[in-house]
């Protein structure tokens, strides 16, 4: 295996450093892609895995003003290496989060909910009653999209792969606030018309699959609507019929949270505004952590394996 558990010395705390005790860190698809070397950012080796998680500040250097011992922090950017019990990080690599939100919500806050929030905000101006369609709706981002959309009165049409436990999955997504859950196969069926009797055609489609799934989803997009691609789980290109461009003038865009953070590194307000909005939703019970399986760090091997199985509806979270 590429992985081993190692004991390292904690480096000395410099003036602008923060010593953090990690509490919990999830295993996300992008973490696996980074390890496989298929991601756009790769850490120089040897590296610590994990791009997301929550920790508690133990001590701070003399020049650190925004953080104090006892504060909870999450990574400000990808590549922090969160699968560890302790770390010493420069202050600017960390963002403070409130301690009154559940630890699993904090551990899974900085990637999926932020991605969902930005995609729902930055591409189309959605009003209450508007609708969004998304594939892989049971993913971490998908679950966040359902809940954030629900909180702002936007309807969701959620596409999932057919699977043995489909009724349970549909029930779970409906409980999160999904308006409609359909399988990939249903996208082609005339019954889709029934959905659009009560729900307007979506102005926004969110795609993290690619291939046929995308083409089928595009059929239902309103003229001049936007499809945002943020992943490619089918490992196939996005195929768009010429007619969708000519007769419906659909827009195709891409989104990568890491790039958004780079572009907004100097713009503390939009970062803080997003984090505040998400924490408010969490406090109100309108945004929950995705379905999680908690695993102690020493069982990391089993957790990594489980995170790569197909049809897994539970996110592996390392408890540190």
């Amino acid at each position: 295996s590429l992985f081993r558990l190692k004991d390292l010395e904690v480096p000395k705390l410099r003036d602008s450093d923060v010593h953090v005790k990690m509490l919990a860190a999830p295993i996300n698809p992008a973490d696996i892609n980074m390890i496989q070397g298929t991601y756009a950012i790769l850490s120089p080796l040897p590296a610590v895995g994990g791009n997301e998680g929550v920790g508690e500040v133990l001590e701070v250097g003399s020049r650190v003003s925004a953080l104090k011992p006892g504060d909870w922090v999450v990574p400000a950017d990808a590549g922090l290496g969160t699968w560890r019990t302790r770390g010493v990080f420069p202050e600017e690599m960390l963002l403070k989060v409130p301690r009154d939100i559940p630890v699993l919500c904090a551990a899974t806050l900085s990637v999926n909910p932020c991605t969902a929030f930005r995609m729902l905000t930055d591409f189309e101006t959605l009003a209450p009653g508007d609708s969004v369609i998304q594939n892989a709706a049971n993913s971490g981002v998908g679950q966040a999209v359902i809940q954030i959309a629900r909180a702002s009165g936007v309807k969701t049409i959620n596409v999932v792969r057919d699977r043995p436990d489909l009724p349970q999955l549909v029930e779970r997504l409906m409980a999160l606030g999904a308006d409609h859950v359909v399988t990939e196969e249903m996208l082609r069926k005339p019954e889709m018309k029934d959905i659009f009797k009560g729900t307007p055609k979506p102005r926004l489609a969110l795609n993290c699959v690619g291939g046929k799934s995308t083409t089928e989803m595009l059929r239902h997009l309103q003229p001049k609507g936007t499809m945002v691609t943020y992943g490619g789980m089918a490992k196939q290109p996005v195929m768009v019929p010429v007619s969708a461009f000519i007769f419906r003038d659909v827009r195709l865009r891409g989104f990568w949270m890491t790039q958004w953070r780079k572009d907004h590194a100097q713009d503390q307000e939009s970062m803080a505004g997003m984090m505040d909005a998400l924490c408010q939703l969490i406090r109100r019970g309108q945004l929950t952590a995705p379905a999680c399986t908690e695993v102690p760090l020493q069982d990391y091997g089993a957790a990594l394996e489980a995170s790569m199985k197909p049809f897994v509806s539970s996110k592996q979270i390392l408890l540190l």
Side-chain angles (χ1 to χ4, degrees), residues 29 138-139 161-165 169 233 235 303-316:
N138 58 312
S139 66
R161 287 183 296 176
D162 199 5
R163 62 193 65 216
D165 61 346
L169 177 60
M233 285 157 51
K235 297 189 167 47
L304 279 169
E305 228 162 274
S307 71
M308 297 183 357
K309 289 203 179 88
F311 298 125
V312 179
S313 293
S314 185
K315 196 178 273 295
Q316 304 290 311

Side-chain angles (χ1 to χ4, degrees), residues 129-142:
D130 283 346
S131 81
V132 175
I133 189 167
Q134 64 165 344
N135 54 23
N138 58 312
S139 66
V141 172

Side-chain angles (χ1 to χ4, degrees), residues 47-305:
V48 179
N51 288 298
E52 187 180 35
V54 63
E56 182 178 338
V57 175
L58 293 177
E59 56 175 327
V60 300
S62 56
R63 301 245 285 289
V64 174
S65 55
L67 295 170
K68 58 183 189 309
D71 285 347
W72 275 11
V73 288
V74 299
D77 212 341
L80 191 68
T82 52
W83 301 345
R84 62 171 103 209
T85 54
R86 295 182 171 212
V88 170
F89 308 108
E91 176 184 21
E92 70 270 12
M93 291 176 74
L94 303 168
L95 288 175
K96 184 174 163 176
V97 292
R99 290 191 56 142
D100 65 345
I101 62 175
V103 71
L104 293 183
C105 287
T108 54
L109 181 63
S110 61
V111 177
N112 294 338
C114 289
T115 300
F117 184 91
R118 294 266 53 106
M119 292 194 303
L120 287 169
T121 310
D122 294 353
F123 296 93
E124 287 281 346
T125 309
L126 299 170
D130 283 346
S131 81
V132 175
I133 189 167
Q134 64 165 344
N135 54 23
N138 58 312
S139 66
V141 172
Q143 293 175 56
V145 164
I146 290 170
Q147 296 173 84
I148 295 166
R150 181 61 180 268
S152 43
V154 170
K155 297 182 164 187
T156 56
I157 301 158
N158 300 282
V159 186
V160 296
R161 287 183 296 176
D162 199 5
R163 62 193 65 216
D165 61 346
L166 186 65
Q168 290 94 307
L169 177 60
V170 171
E171 201 175 307
R172 240 189 52 225
L173 296 182
M174 297 300 269
L176 287 180
D179 295 281
H180 306 279
V181 182
V182 298
T183 61
E184 302 270 357
E185 292 69 37
M186 270 187 66
L187 280 178
R188 258 169 255 142
K189 302 258 164 73
E191 292 87 279
M192 283 298 287
K193 285 200 184 66
D194 298 340
I195 286 181
F196 298 120
K197 283 177 188 149
T199 300
K201 287 223 159 188
R203 289 231 308 279
L204 180 66
L206 306 177
N207 165 50
C208 74
V209 179
K212 241 194 345 237
S213 173
T214 315
T215 315
E216 296 301 342
M217 212 166 47
L218 265 179
R219 284 171 189 247
H220 304 293
L221 203 56
Q222 270 191 38
K224 295 200 188 322
T226 305
M227 184 177 76
V228 183
T229 292
Y230 68 99
M233 285 157 51
K235 297 189 167 47
Q236 287 161 348
V238 168
M239 304 289 272
V240 182
V242 169
S243 61
F245 277 129
I246 298 174
F247 303 123
R248 290 194 294 126
D249 189 17
V250 298
R251 284 140 223 261
L252 298 193
R253 301 286 307 273
F255 182 77
W256 187 31
M257 194 62 220
T258 301
Q259 188 63 46
W260 187 91
R261 288 185 199 283
K262 274 197 189 74
D263 296 346
H264 294 79
Q266 302 313 309
D267 174 8
Q268 283 311 303
E269 258 168 60
S270 58
M271 191 68 213
M274 169 170 67
M275 295 308 264
D276 286 349
L278 292 170
C279 289
Q280 283 297 357
L281 291 175
I282 291 168
R283 285 196 194 97
R284 291 194 208 117
Q286 293 178 305
L287 178 62
T288 54
C292 290
T293 305
E294 301 173 45
V295 184
L297 181 60
Q298 57 270 24
D299 299 342
Y300 71 91
L304 279 169
E305 228 162 274

